[in-house]
Each structure stands twice: as C-alpha cells, then as structure tokens.
Amino acid sequence: GGTWISIPVKRSNSKKLYLKADKHAASVQHRLCVEMAEGRYGCTSVAEKLHIQAKTQSDQDSTVMKDMFRAAYFLFALEIPHTTAWRPLMSTVAALDSSGRIDTYLKKAKSNAHHLSVGSITEILESYGKAMLDATREELSSVDDFAILGDECTDINGKKMLNTCVRYIKNEKIIERFLCVVPVASTTAETIYETIPEQMNKHGLDPSKIAAASFDGASNFSGVKGGVQALLKRQSPQLIYVHCRSHVLQLCLVRACKSIPAIKRVVSTLNKLFTVFRGSAKRLGVLYDIEKAIDNDSHKLVQPADTRWLSHE
C-alpha cells in the first residue's frame, strides 16, 4: 500500500525505526505483498527498499542541482545580473523541463531549501569562483617561465581596478590565462607592484620567474627607474618589458592624424559634437531621430580618445 516506500515516516514516529521495520517485515501483510511482487523489486527486505528509495530520491535531487548549476553558469558566463534573473530563469527552465523533475523539486522543497534566493545564487557564484581559482592554481603551479600583462582603469563606481593576465608556453602552444581584477588603493607604481606579486602567489606563480611584462606607456608602468617594470626587474633581472603594441599603434595613428589638417579638423569636430550631444538628453534624442532617418538605426554615442584603442573607428 505504499507504506515504507512512498509514504514518508514522520520525525515524531521515527524512533527505533529499525525495530518497526523488522516487525513489519515479519507481518503476514508484508509477506503476502512480497510473494505478489517477487522478482519485480529484486529484494524483499523493507530496510533494502527504504535504502533504494532514499538513494533514488538523492540521485534525483543531485540531478536537479546539476541542472540548476548549469543554469547559474549561463548567467555568470553571459554577465547577466544573477540576483534579479535567477528566479525567473529557473521558472522558465522548470517549465521547459519535460520530465517535470525540476518543477517537482522546487514545489516540494521547503522555503529555506529551494536555492532560489539571492543568498543561494550568490553562494553558487562564489563556489564557481573558488572552483575556477583552484583549477587555475593547479594549472599554473607547473609553469616555470611566464609573461605578465596588466593594466589599470577606473570602474563605474569610481574605484581604481588592476587587471592581470599571464601568458606562457605549454606543449609548444601559447596559452593566455586571465588572473584577476582587484581594487587598488592608488595607481602608483609602488601600490601596483605590491599587488601583482601578491596575486601571483595566490595563483601558485613564482614572481621571480617572470620572463616578460607588457604594459601601456604610462609612467607608473613603463618608468625605467620607478615604474612597475623597473621594480619587477629587481627580483627578476631577466625580465623584458614590452610596450603594448596596440597602444603604440594607437599613439602613432593619433600623431599621424594630428599632422594632417583635414583629419585633425574632423577629429576635433567629433569631440565637440560629443560634448554638445552628451550634455543634453533633448539634443541626444534629436541626434537619434536624425540617425534613424538616415540609417534607419541609431548608434551609441562614443567619444574619440587618443589613448583608447580603436575609439576613432
């Protein structure tokens, strides 16, 4: 009749459950059921059936959690706001799941155990971050010589951020790995220099084995006496500093443009137009209307910057 198999035992009735299971196994009702179902379940012990049912439920829950982790990774990989999109995404995934496993799991789960809260998706994000950090550390622990690439910028919140990548050779192939984006108190050479070795040690890299470094031409990075590359050379004398080739090409293009009066006037006009339209929502709306009339589409307003690669395109 489903007892012991599909009907859960209440916690209040679960004391000495093994004694009750043995008593039920010896009952006439159970033995008749066993005879009727002989060969269908492969076992006749109530304890075994309880174990099979519990394992089946555990496997189903594990499968659902794997599906939820895949959905979470979809949000993280595409940089979709996970705190606001997590619950709607899981509702959609559950509706599209033809097996009904996800929907059943979410409906049966307690309110503090359905993993749809902001706290749960944040913990999943942190778990992915830790797993990626561990995988990167394991991969980089065997690297002997490597090159480092770094740059600093100001994020949308006004914080100074330092991003770092490494490049190395493995099996005659060039491999590039993103390391981190970390906040820095300032963008002075000393602060950046202290941060880079700290992040390398965190990822299992030996700072003394840096073979090359590539930064932009800013003095805090490229200075031959007090720049980051000069400070790194103190512990890695073999280090070769390479000025970012894309940045160098951009500077060359800017210098060439300024030497041609016609192009110089065009760039100057573009900068003035950016200032005029960016400062007024009404003017920007007029600009979009004109663009739609000409191209049947509106375009993002971009400011030409001398040091920003491809910003003049």
Side-chain angles (χ1 to χ4, degrees):
T3 307
W4 306 103
I5 298 175
S6 59
I7 300 177
V9 179
K10 295 182 179 179
R11 185 181 296 274
S12 59
N13 297 333
S14 62
K15 293 182 178 180
K16 296 184 179 181
L17 184 60
Y18 63 96
L19 296 177
K20 296 181 181 181
D22 290 340
K23 182 179 178 180
H24 177 79
S27 67
V28 176
Q29 180 186 7
H30 174 71
R31 282 184 289 163
L32 289 174
C33 290
V34 168
E35 292 177 1
M36 294 174 60
E38 190 67 40
R40 186 181 306 174
Y41 303 108
C43 68
T44 57
S45 168
V46 173
E48 286 185 74
K49 291 182 180 180
L50 288 171
H51 175 72
I52 292 173
Q53 179 65 20
K55 185 178 184 304
T56 301
Q57 186 64 46
S58 177
D59 291 342
Q60 291 175 353
D61 292 348
S62 178
T63 301
V64 172
M65 287 304 301
K66 288 180 180 178
D67 292 338
M68 295 181 74
F69 266 72
R70 291 190 186 98
Y73 182 76
F74 171 81
L75 293 178
F76 306 150
L78 296 183
E79 299 181 4
I80 300 174
H82 56 277
T83 55
T84 55
W86 175 234
R87 187 181 286 266
L89 175 63
M90 283 311 305
S91 298
T92 303
V93 172
L96 295 175
D97 180 24
S98 58
S99 67
R101 291 194 308 268
I102 299 177
D103 185 62
T104 302
Y105 174 84
L106 295 177
K107 287 181 178 179
K108 286 187 175 181
K110 296 182 179 180
S111 59
N112 63 344
H114 49 50
H115 305 294
L116 295 179
S117 65
V118 173
S120 292
I121 187 60
T122 302
E123 287 185 10
I124 294 175
L125 173 62
E126 292 174 350
S127 298
Y128 267 109
K130 185 178 184 302
M132 294 173 65
L133 176 61
D134 292 342
T136 303
R137 186 187 294 114
E138 182 179 356
E139 177 185 348
L140 297 178
S141 61
S142 60
V143 175
D144 293 329
D145 300 309
F146 59 94
I148 181 174
L149 301 89
D151 195 9
E152 55 84 14
C153 64
T154 304
D155 68 4
I156 194 172
N157 296 316
K159 292 183 178 180
K160 298 292 184 180
M161 308 295 291
L162 174 69
N163 61 81
T164 310
C165 299
V166 294
R167 185 178 289 173
Y168 60 94
I169 298 176
K170 184 177 181 179
N171 298 328
E172 299 182 356
K173 292 183 179 180
I174 298 176
I175 300 176
E176 186 173 301
R177 287 285 178 266
F178 167 78
L179 281 190
C180 61
V181 174
V182 293
V184 289
S186 68
T187 56
T188 62
E190 291 77 11
T191 302
I192 295 175
Y193 168 69
E194 292 174 358
T195 304
I196 290 177
E198 177 184 343
Q199 293 301 317
M200 289 183 181
N201 291 324
K202 182 179 178 180
H203 289 81
L205 290 169
D206 186 354
S208 64
K209 295 182 179 179
I210 303 177
S214 179
F215 307 120
D216 60 23
S219 60
N220 60 335
F221 278 108
S222 63
V224 295
K225 292 184 179 180
V228 176
Q229 62 104 358
L231 297 176
L232 289 174
K233 281 185 177 180
R234 294 179 182 178
Q235 59 180 356
S236 304
Q238 77 283 2
L239 183 145
I240 300 174
Y241 167 62
V242 180
H243 189 171
C244 172
R245 293 305 182 217
S246 296
H247 189 254
V248 170
L249 179 57
Q250 171 73 1
L251 296 177
C252 292
L253 291 172
V254 170
R255 180 64 64 86
C257 290
K258 288 183 178 179
S259 66
I260 303 174
I263 297 179
K264 183 178 180 179
R265 285 195 298 270
V266 169
V267 174
S268 176
T269 303
L270 288 174
N271 271 298
K272 292 177 181 178
L273 286 173
F274 175 86
T275 303
V276 168
F277 288 108
R278 186 59 178 267
S280 169
K282 182 178 180 180
R283 294 172 190 161
L284 192 60
V286 173
L287 175 63
Y288 286 161
D289 291 339
I290 295 173
E291 289 177 339
K292 286 184 177 180
I294 297 174
D295 283 350
N296 197 28
D297 192 13
S298 60
H299 308 280
K300 181 181 178 181
L301 191 64
V302 180
Q303 181 181 21
D306 290 350
T307 57
R308 190 173 300 148
W309 173 236
L310 292 180
S311 70
H312 287 73
E313 183 182 11

